[in-house]
Structures are given as C-alpha cells and as structure tokens.
Amino acid sequence: MELEKKKKVVLIVMIALAVFVIGAAIYCSVMLKGNKKKTITWLAAGDSITWGEGDNLNSYIDYIAIKHPEIIIDKRGIPGMNTAELVSYSQIDYFNIDYTPDIVTVLMGTNDFGVDVPLDQYEKDLENLITILKEKFPHSRIIFLTPLYRDYYGDKGYIMRGMINHNGNVLYDYCNLIKEKSKENGIEVIELSEDEYFNKDNLEEYTVDGLHPNSKGNRLIADKLYKAVITND
C-alpha cells in the first residue's frame, strides 16, 4: 500500500511538473512573439540636413535609430547636394546596395532653392530622380520629405536675405513641385516645410544657423517621421 501511495505521489508530481513546463513554454512563446519587433531597413537620402550638419553628424535618422533599435538605418546625406547632383550620383554608385530597403526617404530641395536652380530644370531633375528610385526600389516604400523652412539663400554663409532667390522663386515653389510630381507617380510626401517647429518665429530654438536642425530640432523631426512612417499617426 505504501508503495502504491508513493507511486501516486510521484505521478501527481510529474503531471504537475509537465503542466508547469508546458504552461511556461506557452507563456514564453506568447511573450516573445508579442515583444519581438520586426527589423526595418530605412535608407535616408539627402543633403547636409540628413548628414547631420550642426548636430555633431547626428541627424533625424540617427535619432530614430537610437530610440528605435529595431530600425536599421543607411544614412546617405551629402552636404550641399542638389537634386541634379543626386541624379548624377545615383547613376554611378549612390544607390548601389546589396539589400532591399523597406523604406526610402528623400529630403532634398533646399539647395536647389538656395543655388537658384530654375524651376523647369528642377522639375526635370525630380522626374529623373523619381524614375531612378522606382526602378531601383520597386518593392520599397518611397517617401519624399519637403525641405525645412528657410529664409536665406546663396553660398556666402548663412546670411538672412529674404525668402526669394535670384530667380524670383520662393522655397514653396520647389516644395509644390515635390508634391505635384510625387502625386503623379504615387509617391508619399511628408510635409516638413510647414512644420509648426520650423518657421520664421522659432528658427533660433530649433536650428543652429537658420536651417540646419540642432539636437532638439532633429529629435522633433525624428519623432514626427517615426509616427508618420512607422505608426501612421
């Protein structure tokens, strides 16, 4: 009798342990599945703002990666680059990569305005760039970002000289072409030129020189882009 009791106790203990192990495995599986974040690859093309000028080479895309480590970034900002130059670089090796990015963002246009690229030429450059992007990244989500607000132009330092360039155009003429050409080609656009944080009233707070974002400004852009691109807020 005593042996039978011991066998029953052992059986009960084994069943209890089995139930515990199975339950723990299911719990861990559910928790890991719920907590696991999909890795996202994000290629950011642009000029000095994407490069990180003014913030120790940390731009908005760097702050996105720092705050959200599941996002793997490929930062390709080139200071001073305009859209025609990006087209030229793209035909050589600018976009030569061995992976397919989930997201491709392009923040360009401020230098086109600043160095007086005629609007008709800018329109052609945009069309060429869009063609290249769609050919190289047919399975990626391509998003254009409009340039940040600025009220100076020229290449002789950051001197406040008004909102009109030598061609008689304002920054919004270039922004409007970005929106127009993107719409024609089914490309998303995120508005930065009319952002509440980057305007004539608060450039000193969010930029280092009237254009390039400081740490605070870059973090604001990062949060805005993450919400718009990843969480769709």
Side-chain angles (χ1 to χ4, degrees):
M1 291 293 292
E2 190 67 26
L3 182 61
E4 290 297 324
K5 287 182 180 179
K6 288 182 178 180
K7 286 182 177 180
K8 287 181 180 179
V9 170
V10 171
L11 181 61
I12 292 171
V13 171
M14 290 179 66
I15 292 173
L17 285 172
V19 170
F20 174 79
V21 171
I22 292 171
I26 293 173
Y27 174 80
C28 291
S29 175
V30 171
M31 290 300 294
L32 286 172
K33 185 176 180 181
N35 291 332
K36 186 177 180 180
K37 294 184 178 179
K38 177 183 180 294
T39 298
I40 299 170
T41 52
W42 186 327
L43 190 157
D47 47 41
S48 57
I49 296 173
T50 299
W51 185 61
E53 184 170 337
D55 190 13
N56 298 313
L57 303 189
N58 289 314
S59 73
Y60 57 90
I61 195 67
D62 293 296
Y63 287 111
I64 288 176
I66 291 169
K67 193 171 182 180
H68 306 281
E70 73 277 11
I71 297 177
I72 300 173
I73 64 167
D74 185 352
K75 183 172 73 171
R76 302 203 166 206
I78 298 179
M81 181 170 64
N82 62 32
T83 304
E85 291 171 332
L86 177 54
V87 169
S88 295
Y89 298 156
S90 300
Q91 294 169 337
I92 305 172
D93 59 1
Y94 185 89
F95 286 125
N96 283 359
I97 56 178
D98 58 1
Y99 71 99
T100 298
D102 296 302
I103 300 163
V104 177
T105 53
V106 180
L107 177 51
M108 294 288 298
T110 192
N111 292 319
D112 296 89
F113 164 71
V115 299
D116 311 307
V117 174
L119 283 182
D120 57 349
Q121 180 60 51
Y122 181 62
E123 182 175 3
K124 293 176 183 176
D125 296 335
L126 271 177
E127 291 172 344
N128 289 334
L129 178 59
I130 289 171
T131 297
I132 290 170
L133 289 170
K134 296 188 78 170
E135 288 178 352
K136 286 185 175 291
F137 307 114
H139 305 297
S140 301
R141 183 180 174 189
I142 302 171
I143 305 171
F144 272 78
L145 315 175
T146 61
L148 298 177
Y149 175 89
R150 65 182 290 181
D151 58 5
Y152 65 83
Y153 63 90
D155 57 1
K156 296 181 179 179
Y158 304 128
I159 303 171
M160 308 301 249
R161 297 180 60 185
M163 290 187 64
I164 302 175
N165 67 14
H166 287 108
N167 293 330
N169 298 121
V170 296
L171 179 66
Y172 298 108
D173 293 328
Y174 297 81
C175 295
N176 288 336
L177 273 175
I178 291 174
K179 296 174 186 177
E180 177 186 324
K181 293 301 168 184
S182 295
K183 184 176 181 180
E184 289 176 3
N185 290 275
I187 292 177
E188 297 175 63
V189 176
I190 295 176
E191 178 65 70
L192 295 181
S193 55
E194 297 178 1
D195 192 281
E196 61 181 303
Y197 300 112
F198 292 90
N199 56 58
K200 61 183 177 62
D201 297 320
N202 51 34
L203 288 179
E204 289 188 8
E205 182 177 0
Y206 295 107
T207 73
V208 296
D209 52 24
L211 173 63
H212 299 98
N214 55 24
S215 175
K216 189 174 182 180
N218 272 312
R219 284 187 169 90
L220 288 172
I221 298 173
D223 288 343
K224 177 172 183 173
L225 291 184
Y226 181 81
K227 289 177 182 178
V229 175
I230 305 300
T231 64
N232 297 314
D233 290 343

